[in-house]
Amino acid sequence: MTADPMLRTQKAWPIEEAGKLADRLAKQGKTHALFQTGYGPSGLPHIGTFGEVARTSWVRHAFSQITGLPSRLLAFSDDMDGLRKAPDNVPNRELLLANLGKPLTKIPDPFGTHSSFGAHNNARLRAFLDAFGFDYEFASSTDYYSQGRFDQALLRMAEKHEEIRAIILPTLGPDRRATYSPFLPIHPITGVVMQVPMEEVRADGTLVWRDEEGQRFETPVTAGHCKAQWKADWALRWYALGVDYEMSGKDLIDSVRLSSAICRALGAEPPVNLTYELFLDETGQKISKSKGNGLTIDEWLRYAPPESLGQFMYNQPTRAKRLYFDVIPRAVDEYLQNAERGMATAMPELAANPAWHIHAGDIPQSAHSPLSFQTLLNLAAVSAAETPDDLWAFVRNYAPDTAPGTHPFLNVLVARAVAYCEDFVRPHLKPRIATAEERAGLEDLITRLQNNAAAIDAMPPGAERAKAIQDIIYDAGRREPFTTPNKDGSMGVGRGWFNALYQVLLGADEGPRFGSVIAAYGIARSINVIQAALAR
């Protein structure tokens, strides 16, 4: 791949992250970058999983474009972790309850489809990542430990045992401090991942410990007979595999700091790290899987295409964002705007466009819609469209050359708009009564639309017709109390007029240019809507 160092001049956070990584590799003399994302397979993939893998993939693509160097993305599953509690949403839950404490890959699959509970969840993870087309290599903690890929690093950790303990102990309470060791031996009889104090950690990598019954064991750190505690395990992986880049959530800031210190104690430089902010619910509270107060990925995809989720994840990853249903329309329209701008932009400036990152440098020509998603929502609301076919009838008024078969992306938007409108827009529409001033403006708008209907109908459908209608809407609103002075001294139309249109006619607080809605809905139908509102 040809390198393009000039991309580093473009302002985009994936490029800034890729630049940090490029500097790291240049300093170390490496010619290949290893990216990593981690996954705890005791639960199912979720919207945060998508966010971390997508963001990491964008940095990886930017790195490849800047440096021309090869790279890999390792999706690492911590499937050797002991199961601490049984999820409620699984069948045959008693299978899990009978095997608490064992590695996930040593517990029977309650679904009966895979060799273990860990294997089942790993398959779900891989199917999830494959569905979004991510380029990655899957890695199993169980395989890496049992196949000896961590053996040398574990022996090194045994040599540095006291130094590593000294890093972790100040962060623990008195009871935990007395028993802490970075090693968790696997009980040779029960198969449980043991959290017990070490009586001895020998230089040859032998662990001496006792179980709850007092029975004494000598366990090698190698060949899958033990695993490392969480923070030590993260550092062990960085050290053993030579991980160059891994991002993580704000809740893991302390873990990153401690794991980085352990990695340095082992003799390696920790990877470049980006700390991303966590998501908030509609009230500004932190999202919790146990509370169920967030938005699932299936819910997002019911109401919007995956590209819009990518746009949402792209925006300011280091700032907390509300992840709730009302953010979806804006994310869709922001994506559409970026994709359209991107198609008209050349490199290297194109690399500052989020759509370039979302599509790994190849924005599809199909990523286009003649109507914004918000306009589709308003059109669905005013027309009471119950099916995509209902809404398509009005979309063709605005863009007659479009059809579901020839415009698949628009077809997706139409279907999602109908679903979103049905669940979140129409139930909350509460049109209000027009004031005397608003009534005068709306009556004038009816007259102007009637007088100009023939001329407007003679115009080609699309943006030109919508602009002509928008000009008429402006003229009708150029009256008190809606006028506002422009910078050139002329009289413009204030926001109050357009708020009145949406609040009186639709019951919404605001929306896109109303001219686009009328152009798609049709002048005669729109006049009927205005007259019905005035008759209330």
Side-chain angles (χ1 to χ4, degrees), residues 282-310:
E282 61 177 334
T283 64
Q285 299 298 309
K286 176 183 171 183
I287 283 178
S288 167
K289 286 187 289 184
S290 61
K291 292 180 181 178
N293 61 334
L295 181 64
T296 70
I297 199 162
D298 288 338
E299 288 170 332
W300 185 293
L301 297 180
R302 167 172 161 76
Y303 302 115
E307 293 86 351
S308 65
L309 181 56

Side-chain angles (χ1 to χ4, degrees), residues 23 48 89 92 95 110 213 376 379 531:
D23 293 342
N89 59 343
N92 303 312
L95 280 177
E213 306 299 323
L376 289 173
L379 191 55
Q531 290 174 333

Side-chain angles (χ1 to χ4, degrees), residues 437-438 440-449 451-452 456 466-484 486 490-494 497-498 501 513-515 518:
E437 294 85 355
E438 291 166 348
L442 290 169
E443 289 173 343
D444 186 29
L445 177 58
I446 291 174
T447 300
R448 291 174 184 271
L449 289 173
N451 292 341
N452 290 276
I456 292 172
K467 183 182 183 303
I469 296 173
Q470 189 71 16
D471 289 342
I472 291 173
I473 293 172
Y474 268 100
D475 291 339
R478 198 168 278 111
R479 63 181 60 237
E480 292 297 335
F482 307 118
T483 54
T484 182
N486 293 321
S490 62
M491 295 305 294
V493 181
W497 169 239
F498 300 100
L501 289 175
R513 287 179 174 270
F514 209 75
I518 293 179

Side-chain angles (χ1 to χ4, degrees), residues 232-248:
D233 184 76
W234 208 7
L236 178 85
R237 199 185 308 165
W238 292 344
Y239 170 77
L241 304 180
V243 176
D244 297 297
Y245 189 92
E246 182 163 5
M247 61 177 63
S248 54

Side-chain angles (χ1 to χ4, degrees), residues 157-418:
M157 187 173 284
E159 293 176 14
K160 297 285 187 176
H161 183 252
E162 291 308 313
E163 187 174 342
I164 292 171
R165 273 173 45 86
I167 293 170
I168 298 294
L169 292 185
T171 68
L172 304 176
D175 294 341
R176 188 74 184 92
R177 195 180 304 152
T179 62
Y180 177 81
S181 170
F183 294 109
L184 301 175
I186 308 299
H187 199 293
I189 300 173
T190 66
V192 170
V193 181
M194 302 298 294
Q195 296 199 44
V196 292
M198 296 297 106
E199 292 187 0
E200 188 179 355
V201 178
R202 295 174 182 165
D204 66 354
T206 300
L207 307 176
V208 181
W209 56 280
R210 294 179 186 274
D211 64 13
E212 296 90 340
E213 306 299 323
Q215 188 171 356
R216 185 175 182 273
F217 296 93
E218 294 187 5
T219 300
V221 297
T222 55
H225 293 291
C226 88
K227 72 176 300 293
Q229 293 263 17
W230 151 234
K231 297 178 181 68
D233 184 76
W234 208 7
L236 178 85
R237 199 185 308 165
W238 292 344
Y239 170 77
L241 304 180
V243 176
D244 297 297
Y245 189 92
E246 182 163 5
M247 61 177 63
S248 54
K250 183 181 179 180
D251 55 334
L252 295 181
I253 287 178
D254 288 340
S255 297
V256 170
R257 178 178 58 82
L258 294 170
S259 296
S260 296
I262 294 172
C263 187
R264 293 188 181 97
L266 293 174
E269 186 65 21
V272 176
N273 173 265
L274 170 69
T275 298
Y276 55 81
E277 260 287 3
L278 305 178
F279 299 123
L280 308 176
D281 67 11
E282 61 177 334
T283 64
Q285 299 298 309
K286 176 183 171 183
I287 283 178
S288 167
K289 286 187 289 184
S290 61
K291 292 180 181 178
N293 61 334
L295 181 64
T296 70
I297 199 162
D298 288 338
E299 288 170 332
W300 185 293
L301 297 180
R302 167 172 161 76
Y303 302 115
E307 293 86 351
S308 65
L309 181 56
Q311 179 67 62
F312 178 81
M313 293 296 177
Y314 182 93
N315 291 340
Q316 300 177 316
T318 58
R319 291 190 182 182
K321 294 194 289 290
R322 292 174 64 252
L323 179 58
Y324 209 66
F325 295 101
D326 58 358
V327 306
I328 292 177
R330 180 177 178 182
V332 177
D333 282 336
E334 194 171 357
Y335 165 75
L336 287 171
Q337 293 163 9
N338 286 326
E340 190 158 345
R341 279 197 295 264
M343 294 176 196
T345 307
M347 296 294 285
E349 290 78 11
L350 177 57
N353 187 310
W356 184 81
H357 296 275
I358 292 170
H359 290 290
D362 187 16
I363 304 173
Q365 292 297 312
S366 61
H368 168 72
S369 173
L371 291 165
S372 71
F373 191 66
Q374 187 64 62
T375 298
L376 289 173
L377 291 177
N378 283 307
L379 191 55
V382 73
S383 67
E386 295 183 354
T387 69
D389 287 343
D390 293 341
L391 187 53
W392 261 110
F394 299 104
V395 170
R396 290 195 192 93
N397 286 342
Y398 187 93
D401 294 332
T402 62
T406 57
H407 293 74
F409 190 74
L410 176 57
N411 193 39
V412 170
L413 293 181
V414 167
R416 300 300 185 270
V418 170

